[in-house]
Amino acid sequence: MGHLCCRTKERPPPRARVVFVPPAQPISVSGWRRARALMDYFCAKVEGGFGGRYVLDRQDDPVSGRHGCAFFFWDLKEKKKVVLKMNVIYDYTDMSDPDDSLFPKNGMDILLWSGVRHPSIVRIDGIYSTTNLPGYAPTSGLKGFFLEFCYGGDMWSLPRMLTEPEVQRLNGPIYYEDSEAVFMPFIKNVLEGIKCLHDRGFAHTDIKSENICISRGEDGNAKATIIDVDRLLDFHGNPQYEVERSGDLYIVSGIIRRLIPEPSPEVLELDRYLSSFECGEKERHALNAEQALRLYAKWEAAHGPGMRVKLLPSPSPPQHLIDAYARKADGDKFDGRSHTDTEETRDTNGDDCRGRHCSVPVQANGKTVLRSLGGWVSAGSLWINAQVAKEYGLPGPWVRIQNWHDV
Ligand SMILES: Nc1ncnc2c1ncn2[C@@H]1O[C@H](COP(=O)(O)OP(=O)(O)O)[C@@H](O)[C@H]1O
Ligand SMILES: [Mg+2]
């Protein structure tokens, strides 16, 4: 117990990696501006790290969705384009079970660590996270996921994509009357992807046309790839969540109806099954992907495999960037897998927090630390890690230190 007495006189340096900010819902214009500044900072860190492996493709504007932004990078080692998906809104996160770096987990983490690999589900290649964001507390942080780039647009833009000159050159003209033969194979991809998730005890819970992208399969044909797994739900076999699985499939019916204006009887039968979930609010009909794929097989038996649309390979980085990277002696230092950044994050946290610059933000921007209700406090704040809170005698376990809008 002796050492405990000493600790009361002289506080030990905080050991923990103190992380995480989900900045609040940046609904205001100024909120978004600040979020964007953080994202730009994050991208600059990615470009500055990894031995110069990743360079932002400045010709390709980032795309923002509901939760965050997808940035497009050249991976000069693999000579391909990749996506860095960064979130600034963290709903659907598991705050109570943070990852190794004390960031909250969401569906992306669940998918990455589950080891699920499927051609119809976006491949997550790695995580990059950084803390100590400029202008924010040392506890602040952002996390992004490197994803396979699906360059054919999403399901909304699929009909238009098929009319693009290079697609027509590869495939010959695609006619309106072909729509069922053209679109049904994409529906099969989606059903197979959903089945894979459901078989593993997950529900996607955010299936919609914008979250299904087109990429090029190994056979050179276009395929549908389910993206945006932020809301992936691991329902551990709990029947209460059965409804989420049925919901994934039900949404596919709307996609079919939009893509196929004059459905054959087999498409109608599949659609009737998928939309049966809607009928009878109280006794909702549970759907399963296996049955949907059986009905798909009936369509295939009647109409053949459908038309597979060929795509050109995904674009390569400009040669001068590849050459510049190859010339770098340390170009191969990083492997780009998960915890790619941790070298850096660990250094930052470890060194800074041991050094005199590490001030635990008891007061952030003049605002006093607020007591949390236990667990993570609600979205919209910056947090301090429990361990550090304890070492500094702060109320805990998790302590709100400042508000996004107050920064
Ligand atoms: N792997 C990817 N390949 C190509 N585009 C992508 C990819 N991931 C995301 N995008 C684009 O970024 C948009 C937003 O990404 P998404 O993961 O859906 O985020 P949000 O949760 O904000 O909706 C998508 O609708 C899509 O246009
Ligand atoms: Mg989305």
Side-chain angles (χ1 to χ4, degrees):
M1 294 300 273
H3 68 282
L4 279 181
C5 298
C6 300
R7 283 184 70 173
T8 54
K9 280 196 189 117
E10 196 186 353
R11 280 178 186 144
R15 279 174 289 110
R17 282 175 283 153
V18 186
V19 227
F20 186 56
V21 195
Q25 309 256 3
I27 36 171
S28 63
V29 173
S30 62
W32 267 113
R33 204 177 296 129
R34 277 191 292 257
R36 186 52 207 262
L38 275 184
M39 291 195 267
D40 288 343
Y41 168 79
F42 193 83
C43 287
K45 293 276 284 187
V46 170
E47 280 193 307
F50 303 98
R53 174 175 172 172
Y54 296 102
V55 174
L56 197 59
D57 177 7
R58 290 176 169 76
Q59 313 267 333
D60 212 346
D61 286 335
V63 187
S64 44
R66 224 177 66 73
H67 302 104
C69 232
F71 288 85
F72 302 97
F73 278 83
W74 295 117
D75 175 348
L76 299 174
K77 187 176 175 197
E78 296 289 330
K79 302 188 182 64
K80 62 181 186 186
K81 208 175 207 178
V82 294
V83 171
L84 184 73
K85 163 90 190 272
M86 208 185 305
N87 281 352
V88 287
I89 298 177
Y90 289 82
D91 38 8
Y92 316 110
T93 47
D94 186 349
M95 307 279 195
S96 62
D97 177 26
D99 72 8
D100 290 347
S101 304
L102 298 176
F103 279 76
K105 285 190 202 136
N106 77 2
M108 291 280 207
D109 299 87
I110 297 174
L111 185 68
L112 178 63
W113 299 117
S114 71
V116 167
R117 295 278 181 277
H118 192 277
S120 301
I121 300 168
V122 69
R123 204 184 58 242
I124 305 177
D125 287 328
I127 300 177
Y128 180 82
S129 60
T130 191
T131 55
N132 209 356
L133 303 170
Y136 294 82
T139 52
S140 62
L142 273 177
K143 174 165 158 180
F145 292 84
F146 284 108
L147 308 174
E148 116 187 56
F149 171 51
C150 306
Y151 76 102
D154 65 18
M155 286 295 251
W156 282 111
S157 55
L158 177 59
R160 200 184 59 231
M161 189 268 268
L162 299 179
T163 65
E164 281 176 10
E166 63 267 33
V167 178
Q168 299 254 335
R169 250 197 309 278
L170 270 175
N171 296 282
I174 296 166
Y175 299 105
Y176 173 83
E177 302 83 67
D178 296 331
S179 64
E180 188 167 303
V182 170
F183 294 130
M184 282 301 273
F186 293 105
I187 298 298
K188 184 184 190 184
N189 298 149
V190 176
L191 294 175
E192 285 170 340
I194 292 175
K195 179 175 186 300
C196 167
L197 294 176
H198 291 185
D199 286 351
R200 297 295 294 254
F202 303 138
H204 184 279
T205 81
D206 204 10
I207 296 285
K208 54 184 171 183
S209 293
E210 308 79 306
N211 286 341
I212 299 167
C213 276
I214 308 301
S215 62
R216 183 179 190 258
E218 282 178 1
D219 56 4
N221 293 330
K223 66 179 172 69
T225 303
I226 298 170
I227 64 159
D228 199 355
V229 289
D230 290 272
R231 283 176 63 175
L232 191 81
L233 183 75
D234 181 353
F235 57 83
H236 305 288
N238 186 337
Q240 198 188 329
Y241 295 110
E242 194 58 52
V243 63
E244 302 286 354
R245 294 211 276 187
S246 295
D248 284 352
L249 290 162
Y250 169 67
I251 300 293
V252 179
S253 130
I255 299 174
I256 293 176
R257 288 181 192 190
R258 204 174 48 72
L259 288 175
I260 302 170
E262 288 167 24
S264 65
E266 292 77 17
V267 172
L268 281 177
E269 192 182 353
L270 173 63
D271 178 63
R272 243 194 325 274
Y273 174 68
L274 296 174
S275 55
S276 65
F277 178 62
E278 193 185 24
C279 310
E281 266 301 308
K282 283 212 177 102
E283 286 166 45
R284 280 185 147 185
H285 192 85
L287 304 178
N288 73 76
E290 212 163 306
Q291 175 61 8
L293 280 162
R294 266 198 292 275
L295 292 171
Y296 185 89
K298 271 178 89 173
W299 177 83
E300 242 176 2
H303 302 272
M307 215 180 116
R308 300 315 310 255
V309 177
K310 289 190 197 61
L311 283 187
L312 286 170
S314 162
S316 302
Q319 194 58 42
H320 72 275
L321 292 179
I322 296 179
D323 294 343
Y325 175 69
R327 280 196 299 272
K328 280 193 153 190
D330 64 346
D332 257 349
K333 225 162 81 183
F334 299 95
D335 70 2
R337 279 280 312 159
S338 47
H339 12 273
T340 32
D341 88 302
T342 46
E343 306 277 338
E344 198 185 337
T345 303
R346 244 181 238 131
D347 287 353
T348 308
N349 287 315
D351 294 349
D352 280 7
C353 287
R354 269 187 289 277
R356 64 196 161 81
H357 299 299
C358 178
S359 56
V360 166
V362 180
Q363 289 226 315
N365 283 5
K367 290 188 171 33
T368 317
V369 171
L370 301 173
R371 184 184 291 273
S372 79
L373 298 170
W376 291 82
V377 289
S378 64
S381 315
L382 306 177
W383 282 275
I384 182 169
N385 171 248
Q387 198 176 344
V388 176
K390 206 166 131 199
E391 281 169 1
Y392 280 81
L394 298 171
W398 296 94
V399 182
R400 184 160 72 175
I401 51 171
Q402 68 194 145
N403 194 286
W404 168 256
H405 296 288
D406 299 334
V407 178

